[in-house]
Amino acid sequence: EISMKTFYWSFVLMLLPSMAYTQTTEKENEFSMSMQIRPRAEYRNGALFPREEGDKAAAFINNRARLSMEYKRTNLSMKISAQHVGVWGQDAQIDKNGRFIMNEAWAKLGFGAGFFAQLGRQTLSYDDERILGGLDWNVAGRYHDALKLGYENRAHKLHFILAFNQNDEKTIGGTYYNNGGQPYKNMQTLWYHYTAEGLPLDASFLFMNLGWETGDPEIQIADTRYMQTVGTYITYKPQSWNMQATFYYQTGKNKVSASVSAYMASVKAAYAIGKQWSVNLGYDYLSGDNDKGSKFKAFDPLYGTHHKFYGAMDYFYASLFVNGLAPGLQDAQLGVNYKVSSKVGMQLNYHYFATAAKLQEVKKGLGSEFDYQIDWNVMKDVKLSAGYSVMLGTKSMDIVKGGNHKRWQDWGWLSLNINPKIFFAKW
């Protein structure tokens, strides 16, 4: 069996003769390759979940090794990318079963006048990544198997995304119980984006219909339930200001066939004080459920990049609540950014967390998180980043997330991102 690495380099070698023969071929073709090595060391003493008294801190180094190739010409582009992700020491010194997997494999066909179709395994990243995001912080990232039909010009973008998933080639039946694959059976998403001409205003509209498959895999009985998410994202950036507003509503049935009526709202404002300093203020509200009423009221942010929004320690939505609770979240934020030089920048953010729903005999206040990060562009294509976070939780945090709020909870990390484009040709 030919390994993935052998396939990649064989493909490159086959392309080289055509790249060298530039005199008689059309000059519309572009081929590029890039590679990424991204190790990240982490010290966890309360990341994702609060630690209990007596729990020892954890430390590890994870790594992403990614090789990508992209081809472009008029009305056609393709990308194939493969990666090996894991933790240092996870693989044997003599490894015969490497985990080099395809993370992207798509083709984009242009039909002229702004119309296109993109199909295959691809990132779905829209707006501020609240609902659909690439999750680049995660060592593996997030990808969908989908068909994207679109139209784009300078002011308008319209995308229609279709996905239909199975866990194997079927001979009978059509059940889909995930089994580690995509989390939904089918999906239809419509996204529209408008850029105002002459104004610093952008607005997006999103509608997503998700089909969850429920039932009993043992006796091959399945039923598909559908949940709809609809909302808007608006940005307004006059001069030194950057203002954003988001609202989404969910209805239909969720993964456990419960009727849903949930929503989320967010407002943010940032102001640049000269070239070095900027400040930001924001508030997020994601509705929660308290087991009262006939409908489930906890909002699900689905496949967004949650690390980007609800605190760097990933207590919310990047990890689960405990004891079957779904109290939602209120997140009040205050931050400051300082650009030390053209190559070095720092940021400090504060979050105050509270539940959205009032749980019985539980106060809403969950605690405060402080997040510090520094980034240094060491050289072209090389970036060194580090961060340190502290969570000061309350007794309510123990109830909805576990652990012991009286124990010191902190997290630190150091990451090196080397991501050069290593080969480029036009012919």
Side-chain angles (χ1 to χ4, degrees):
E1 183 178 353
I2 299 176
S3 70
M4 187 65 69
K5 293 180 182 179
T6 303
F7 166 77
Y8 266 82
W9 289 112
S10 298
F11 182 76
V12 174
L13 291 173
M14 286 189 294
L15 284 176
L16 288 178
S18 63
M19 294 174 186
Y21 191 58
T22 61
Q23 302 300 318
T24 60
T25 54
E26 297 181 4
K27 296 182 180 180
E28 62 174 8
N29 301 282
E30 294 184 5
F31 176 79
S32 61
M33 288 184 61
S34 66
M35 64 187 302
Q36 183 184 39
I37 302 294
R38 197 187 77 175
R40 183 172 70 226
E42 292 191 39
Y43 159 82
R44 291 184 176 180
N45 189 47
L48 298 171
F49 292 93
R51 301 298 93 187
E52 295 280 2
E53 189 66 35
D55 288 349
K56 294 183 179 180
F60 59 87
I61 302 171
N62 65 27
N63 188 67
R64 172 196 293 169
R66 180 178 291 172
L67 178 63
S68 303
M69 299 186 300
E70 192 163 0
Y71 168 78
K72 294 180 181 180
R73 73 164 192 249
T74 304
N75 292 329
L76 174 64
S77 60
M78 298 179 67
K79 184 176 182 180
I80 295 178
S81 178
Q83 64 184 14
H84 178 280
V85 297
V87 175
W88 282 18
Q90 181 178 354
D91 298 319
Q93 289 185 352
I94 303 174
D95 184 12
K96 297 181 179 180
N97 298 293
R99 293 168 289 101
F100 197 64
I101 62 172
M102 195 78 71
N103 64 299
E104 282 187 276
W106 54 259
K108 184 176 181 181
L109 309 174
F111 304 114
F115 292 94
F116 69 90
Q118 182 172 326
L119 68 160
R121 187 164 180 82
Q122 57 190 284
T123 299
L124 296 180
S125 180
Y126 285 95
D127 301 321
D128 61 347
E129 299 188 293
R130 181 77 66 167
I131 302 297
L132 285 170
L135 194 62
D136 190 60
W137 170 261
N138 187 283
V139 66
R142 176 184 279 129
Y143 304 92
H144 301 252
D145 300 314
L147 167 64
K148 181 193 298 181
L149 305 173
Y151 168 78
E152 295 184 359
N153 63 22
R154 192 155 61 179
H156 305 277
K157 295 180 180 179
L158 182 65
H159 293 181
F160 184 44
I161 305 163
L162 299 167
F164 177 77
N165 298 318
Q166 289 285 22
N167 49 23
D168 204 349
E169 296 180 3
K170 302 288 185 177
T171 54
I172 58 173
T175 56
Y176 180 73
Y177 293 101
N178 190 351
N179 294 330
Q182 293 287 345
Y184 50 83
K185 175 66 179 287
N186 64 75
M187 179 263 285
Q188 306 84 39
T189 295
L190 181 68
W191 176 78
Y192 170 71
H193 180 82
Y194 171 71
T195 300
E197 190 170 348
L199 290 174
L201 175 68
D202 286 67
S204 294
F205 168 83
L206 182 141
F207 173 81
M208 176 187 290
N209 183 46
L210 279 173
W212 318 103
E213 188 143 284
T214 61
D216 188 346
E218 295 296 326
I219 56 177
Q220 294 290 295
I221 294 178
D223 190 15
T224 304
R225 304 291 187 177
Y226 290 91
M227 186 180 79
Q228 297 79 42
T229 301
V230 59
T232 186
Y233 171 68
I234 300 171
T235 62
Y236 183 58
K237 302 177 182 179
Q239 297 180 348
S240 299
W241 287 92
N242 183 347
M243 292 177 280
Q244 307 173 39
T246 304
F247 179 82
Y248 292 100
Y249 175 74
Q250 287 177 337
T251 186
K253 302 280 189 177
N254 65 10
K255 301 173 186 177
V256 294
S257 301
S259 295
V260 175
S261 179
Y263 69 95
M264 69 85 51
S266 172
V267 290
K268 294 182 183 295
Y271 180 74
I273 308 171
K275 296 181 178 181
Q276 289 185 293
W277 291 91
S278 66
V279 293
N280 59 83
L281 182 68
Y283 176 73
D284 295 339
Y285 183 96
L286 293 86
S287 64
D289 188 76
N290 56 7
D291 290 328
K292 296 180 180 179
S294 59
K295 292 193 174 183
F296 187 71
K297 298 179 181 179
F299 186 84
D300 186 347
L302 297 172
Y303 315 118
T305 303
H306 311 317
H307 177 82
K308 181 179 177 181
F309 300 105
Y310 314 115
M313 293 178 74
D314 286 338
Y315 273 41
F316 307 104
Y317 303 106
S319 59
L320 299 175
F321 292 102
V322 297
N323 302 321
L325 297 174
L329 184 68
Q330 298 182 69
D331 178 10
Q333 310 132 39
L334 177 64
V336 59
N337 297 269
Y338 176 60
K339 194 171 184 179
V340 180
S341 67
S342 60
K343 293 186 176 182
V344 180
M346 298 186 293
Q347 54 182 285
L348 178 64
N349 292 294
Y350 167 76
H351 296 259
Y352 177 77
F353 298 113
T355 64
K358 181 66 175 73
L359 304 180
Q360 187 175 5
E361 298 181 357
V362 179
K363 294 182 178 180
K364 286 189 173 184
L366 296 174
S368 298
E369 180 175 331
F370 296 87
D371 299 320
Y372 171 77
Q373 181 172 329
I374 183 169
D375 300 293
W376 175 28
N377 293 313
V378 181
M379 62 181 71
K380 182 182 178 182
D381 304 321
V382 179
K383 184 178 181 179
L384 183 65
S385 301
Y388 179 72
S389 299
V390 173
M391 174 66 79
L392 305 175
T394 67
K395 186 176 181 180
S396 298
M397 182 75 83
D398 297 350
I399 296 173
V400 303
K401 288 294 296 184
N404 184 350
H405 71 282
K406 294 181 180 180
R407 181 194 167 165
W408 182 255
Q409 314 281 350
D410 64 348
W411 170 64
W413 58 276
L414 176 66
S415 175
L416 180 64
N417 185 11
I418 306 172
N419 189 18
K421 182 173 288 187
I422 60 173
F423 190 89
F424 183 79
K426 289 185 179 182
W427 72 100

